Amino acid sequence: MINPFSYFSKDVAIDLGTASTLVYVRGQGIVIVEPSVVAVNQKTGKILAIGNEAKKMVGRTPVHIVATRPLVKGVISDFEVTEQMLKYFIERVHQKRFFLTPMPRVIIGIPIGVTEVEKKAVQDAAKSAGAREVYLIEQPMAAAIGARLPVQEAGGNFIVDIGGGTAQVAVISLGGLVISKSLRIAGDQLNQDIINFAQEEYKLLIGERTAEEIKIGIGSAFPSKEKKEMPMRGRNIVTGLPEEIMVTDEDIRRALEKSVRQIVQTIKITVEETPPELLADVMTKGIHLTGGGSLLRGLNALIAKETKVPTKVIEDPLTAVARGAGIVLENIDELNEVLAETEELEPPH
């Protein structure tokens, strides 16, 4: 018998990222895109803000108020805060929930290579936040589905998902990961590289927000004809006074070089390990880049040069995982095989 209240239940797919959380609602698409940041009053333990409001507080709060990320390198580092963050996003979707309306079925994107304990932490956090059933999907698989790659066919699909905390590389065929590698170097590390560069090169102390603005403004992985520069503002470590220095795209490319090389090297190794039959498909289809980190200028050109495989950034790479998880949510019976193995869950109602 059909539950008369199931019409009102809003099943959701969540890309629980280190930097941002995206929420897809069944039948509606992506409705929430907010930073994975929570502001906590350490004196009382009370959560003051989540998402956009919490990010505004980063670096601008009294000592006892800390704006923190509950996920580090794609993995839950603070279970209670993650639970509160998930609850906040799920409740926002269910603002007009009716009495006796079933709570949602939830699909959550997780990094490849997480342990069973880490998987259980995500499931438990979602269930505590009000989810009726929790399914997990590996982020590269979700990203490939979001990129509309034919993951269920017998052919090689090469996906690189570069988020805030992790860069994940995978070759997918017949609904499964044939080869997968995860590197805990991604967008956040690139920001840190710029912070370190400013300190070592110019004795200038800058914050994470400034580093990210510079990375987005003039950061690149491959030289281009157009030269760019941007002011870098911070505090001189020697004098303690504010200072502004002009930096060029070449400076920032040098700052990012080591981390970018490690990402490219991981992709090269994955190409080398891909079975010949699948590699033939990859040569035809190319390497597909997703995630915010894929937007670094010239990264696709550098990967193509180093791997000898055509490389392109997919359309709207930031939302690929959420869109892919959403497609699975809308077609859960047909796409059940692409879900990551999890504990036994209740069957769908």
Side-chain angles (χ1 to χ4, degrees):
M1 180 181 170
I2 296 172
N3 185 330
F5 295 102
S6 63
Y7 174 81
F8 300 108
S9 178
K10 295 179 180 177
D11 292 344
V12 298
I14 300 174
D15 174 11
L16 192 62
T18 305
S20 301
T21 296
L22 290 81
V23 181
Y24 177 108
V25 176
R26 188 173 190 174
Q28 293 180 32
I30 295 169
V31 297
I32 295 172
V33 180
E34 293 205 21
S36 303
V37 181
V38 180
V40 182
N41 184 327
Q42 291 196 311
K43 287 182 181 176
T44 62
K46 186 180 176 185
I47 288 176
L48 303 176
I50 294 172
N52 287 327
E53 291 304 310
K55 188 168 185 181
K56 288 175 188 172
M57 298 182 181
V58 173
R60 297 175 175 173
T61 59
V63 178
H64 66 282
I65 297 174
V66 178
T68 181
R69 285 181 175 180
L71 289 103
V72 176
K73 307 291 185 188
V75 174
I76 291 177
S77 63
D78 189 320
F79 179 83
E80 288 180 13
V81 174
T82 302
E83 182 187 320
Q84 289 301 313
M85 187 172 76
L86 279 170
K87 192 171 184 181
Y88 166 77
F89 289 127
I90 289 172
E91 284 180 354
R92 269 187 57 187
V93 169
H94 284 77
Q95 282 172 346
K96 296 180 180 177
R97 201 170 154 257
F98 291 82
F99 178 64
L100 292 180
T101 305
M103 284 305 283
R105 182 186 303 169
V106 176
I107 294 179
I108 298 179
I110 57 166
I112 48 178
V114 298
T115 65
E116 291 303 316
V117 172
E118 288 163 345
K119 283 182 185 177
K120 191 169 188 311
V122 174
Q123 288 178 311
D124 290 347
K127 284 182 177 176
S128 300
R132 176 174 98 246
E133 300 164 14
V134 185
Y135 299 88
L136 304 180
I137 184 167
E138 286 151 324
Q139 286 161 346
M141 177 64 80
I145 293 168
R148 298 288 181 177
L149 298 180
V151 297
Q152 289 180 295
E153 294 176 10
N157 299 282
F158 200 115
I159 194 93
V160 180
D161 182 44
I162 307 171
T166 56
Q168 302 175 81
V169 186
V171 178
I172 299 169
S173 179
L174 289 171
L177 303 184
V178 179
I179 298 173
S180 61
K181 295 187 186 301
S182 181
L183 187 65
R184 296 199 172 185
I185 292 174
D188 290 347
Q189 182 58 52
L190 298 182
N191 294 343
Q192 190 59 49
D193 289 342
I194 294 171
I195 292 170
N196 296 344
F197 172 79
Q199 206 163 327
E200 291 162 12
E201 198 84 3
Y202 300 111
K203 301 291 183 282
L204 196 68
L205 197 62
I206 64 170
E208 192 179 332
R209 285 178 63 163
T210 301
E212 186 170 30
E213 284 167 9
I214 290 169
K215 177 184 74 177
I216 293 168
I218 61 172
S220 64
F222 202 74
S224 69
K225 291 176 184 175
E226 187 187 354
K227 301 299 176 189
K228 298 188 175 196
E229 60 178 18
M230 192 172 172
M232 184 160 64
R233 301 182 184 96
R235 186 172 72 243
N236 187 296
I237 298 167
V238 179
T239 66
L241 298 174
E243 190 175 336
E244 179 183 297
I245 288 167
M246 293 302 291
V247 288
T248 66
D249 58 324
E250 193 176 337
D251 293 328
I252 303 308
R253 194 159 52 250
R254 199 153 36 93
L256 304 178
E257 187 177 17
K258 185 181 174 186
S259 293
V260 168
R261 281 281 159 198
Q262 285 180 270
I263 293 170
V264 173
Q265 187 60 26
T266 301
I267 295 168
K268 279 182 73 174
I269 291 168
T270 309
V271 169
E272 288 164 10
E273 292 179 4
T274 301
E277 288 298 321
L278 295 181
L279 188 58
D281 298 324
V282 171
M283 290 295 294
T284 305
K285 296 178 189 174
I287 293 171
H288 296 81
L289 305 185
T290 71
S294 69
L295 294 171
L296 184 68
R297 289 176 194 83
L299 182 60
N300 59 328
L302 180 63
I303 293 168
K305 178 175 179 281
E306 293 290 329
T307 62
K308 307 288 187 279
V309 179
T311 304
K312 64 180 176 183
V313 181
I314 73 155
E315 192 178 335
D316 198 5
L318 286 161
T319 63
V321 172
R323 281 186 285 121
I327 290 168
V328 176
L329 185 71
E330 303 276 6
N331 306 278
I332 199 157
D333 294 331
E334 296 86 359
L335 292 170
N336 194 270
E337 66 184 35
V338 305
L339 295 167
E341 287 182 32
T342 62
E343 301 175 313
E344 256 186 59
L345 299 165
E346 300 173 39
H349 297 311

